[in-house]
Amino acid sequence: MPANETPVTLQHIRAARERIAGKVERTPAVLSQSLSDRAGHPVHLKLEHHQATGAFKLRGASNAIATLSPQEKARGVVAASTGNHGRALAHAAKLEGIRAVICMSKLVPQNKLDAIRRLGADVRIVGNSQDDAQQEVDRLVAEEGLVMLPPFDHPDIIAGQGTLGLETMEQVPDASAVLVPLSGGGLASGVAAAVKGVSPSTKVIGISMARGAAMKASLDAGRPVQVEELPTLADSLGGGIGLDNRLTFAMCRSLLDDVILLSEDEIAAGIRHAYEREREIVEGAGAVGIAALLAGKVKAKGPMVAILSGRNIDMELHRRIVCGEAIGERAA
Ligand SMILES: *Cc1c(COP(=O)(O)O)cnc(C)c1O
């Protein structure tokens, strides 16, 4: 499937960019001298962790909400996410003045719950697992008519995340490779569609943790498969791609040039390098591009861009990592 025939194309992404202009930040791309010296090619860091809400997820959430009809906006949106997607949805819904309900299980830590509640979202605590929370989402869709906006497998979410790829190619037009954190693949699908749309020869490389890399296992199997979810420093990359995945599996299969897997120690080294050498605080998922470069796992023939996707790490954990505590393989 060539880049102009995927379910989300450059045209959708350009439309998304007009829709969300003024609602999301255009984040900087900066040259990393230390990583360039190591790689032997210029390495640029796309500082998307500076995005409002601390992660790129605001792009997809803002685009999906802006695409709703007036009737859908009146009904409100719902999702089961304790992390960056829930936070982004709550933020974007508040800007539009529409209702957002975020469902989570009793196991969610208080600080995450507070952060989402502070954005004005209606938080529902149900059951003891993500599955229980999802059942409440399904009930709210069926009984109250709320619109479900999932974290990655949705065309407007993918197109919104793709705006990050458009910006990246404007800032580093000669990029030979773009390194993208990979979980459900909404980010990688959107960024790859944008990058390949404007520069077909630029490689797009997905990066996941070795522990529970659902998209990599699915690509290897040739169909969406379930993997065991394990604790990881890259917690925003955990979770499955959905056995009934509609869009991101096919897009990642046709658009990604490679997928790199990282150990927990390698991810910890990425977080540490970001802090000490780049003066940036990033979460595990946001550090995987840097980590892959440090581990010597990226083969490129020219300028590269690593997308730093988020910064929402527990600061106590961050402090332990940068102080050199051996958290690595024992995970967070
Ligand atoms: C969600 C997320 C990712 C992965 O995005 P997918 O679209 O699920 O692949 C990467 N980094 C951060 C910080 C995230 O919040």
Side-chain angles (χ1 to χ4, degrees):
M1 177 163 52
N4 60 358
E5 288 173 21
T6 51
V8 177
T9 63
L10 189 56
Q11 197 186 345
H12 298 114
I13 297 167
R14 288 197 167 127
R17 173 135 93 173
E18 286 189 21
R19 227 175 268 128
I20 66 177
K23 294 176 184 155
V24 304
E25 302 283 338
R26 179 184 171 94
T27 54
V30 298
L31 184 77
S32 162
Q33 198 57 58
S34 69
L35 290 170
S36 301
D37 290 346
R38 269 173 187 266
H41 296 287
V43 174
H44 302 264
L45 304 177
K46 173 69 169 158
L47 306 182
E48 183 67 9
H49 60 303
H50 292 196
Q51 187 59 253
T53 73
F56 71 87
K57 292 250 178 17
L58 192 57
R59 295 175 183 265
S62 301
N63 185 49
I65 284 181
T67 314
L68 297 177
S69 68
Q71 291 80 1
E72 287 171 319
K73 283 186 184 169
R75 278 150 49 195
V77 297
V78 62
S81 162
T82 61
N84 290 329
H85 177 63
R87 201 157 158 174
L89 211 53
H91 180 100
K94 186 181 180 182
L95 275 185
E96 289 283 327
I98 72 174
R99 179 177 177 216
V101 182
I102 309 295
C103 301
M104 36 185 106
S105 86
K106 285 182 202 137
L107 303 180
V108 171
Q110 188 71 31
N111 63 331
K112 289 195 163 180
L113 197 159
D114 291 344
I116 291 177
R117 212 167 247 163
R118 268 199 300 278
L119 289 166
D122 176 356
V123 176
R124 300 281 173 92
I125 311 288
V126 271
N128 290 309
S129 69
Q130 190 71 7
D131 284 348
D132 292 343
Q134 185 57 43
Q135 280 189 10
E136 176 68 2
V137 172
D138 295 342
R139 191 191 69 76
L140 286 165
V141 170
E143 294 178 12
E144 296 186 26
L146 275 87
V147 180
M148 182 175 77
L149 290 179
F152 54 85
D153 202 23
H154 185 292
D156 299 322
I157 298 282
I158 296 170
Q161 320 304 30
T163 63
L164 178 49
L166 275 187
E167 267 178 39
T168 300
M169 292 311 289
E170 285 165 7
Q171 292 166 318
V172 190
D174 60 348
S176 75
V178 178
L179 311 179
V180 191
L182 174 65
S183 177
L187 176 63
S189 297
V191 166
V195 168
K196 305 261 177 201
V198 298
S199 171
S201 66
T202 300
K203 305 250 182 280
V204 180
I205 300 169
I207 310 178
S208 303
M209 65 290 162
R211 291 179 164 218
M215 183 61 84
K216 169 74 170 138
S218 300
L219 292 172
D220 289 349
R223 65 189 160 82
V225 295
Q226 219 152 8
V227 297
E228 192 191 350
E229 202 173 330
L230 298 163
T232 168
L233 289 173
D235 56 300
S236 291
L237 301 185
I241 70 164
L243 292 179
D244 55 353
N245 187 291
R246 293 181 306 134
L247 303 171
T248 60
F249 172 72
M251 287 186 73
C252 286
R253 182 163 59 178
S254 62
L255 298 178
L256 290 186
D257 294 281
D258 197 5
V259 176
I260 292 172
L261 298 184
L262 297 172
S263 72
E264 295 298 305
D265 282 342
E266 287 166 342
I267 295 168
I271 294 173
R272 212 174 287 128
H273 174 98
Y275 184 69
E276 284 173 1
R277 304 301 301 273
E278 317 293 345
R279 312 288 161 129
E280 300 290 343
I281 294 172
V282 291
E283 59 177 282
V288 295
I290 291 177
L293 287 161
L294 291 174
K297 291 184 172 177
V298 183
K299 292 173 224 60
K301 297 190 177 69
M304 288 173 270
V305 185
I307 293 178
L308 277 47
S309 55
R311 67 169 175 215
N312 295 326
I313 187 171
D314 175 77
M315 285 311 287
E316 171 60 19
L317 173 64
H318 188 269
R319 192 184 59 76
R320 286 162 53 208
I321 293 168
V322 299
C323 287
E325 219 176 282
I327 293 164
E329 296 312 320
R330 284 187 298 287

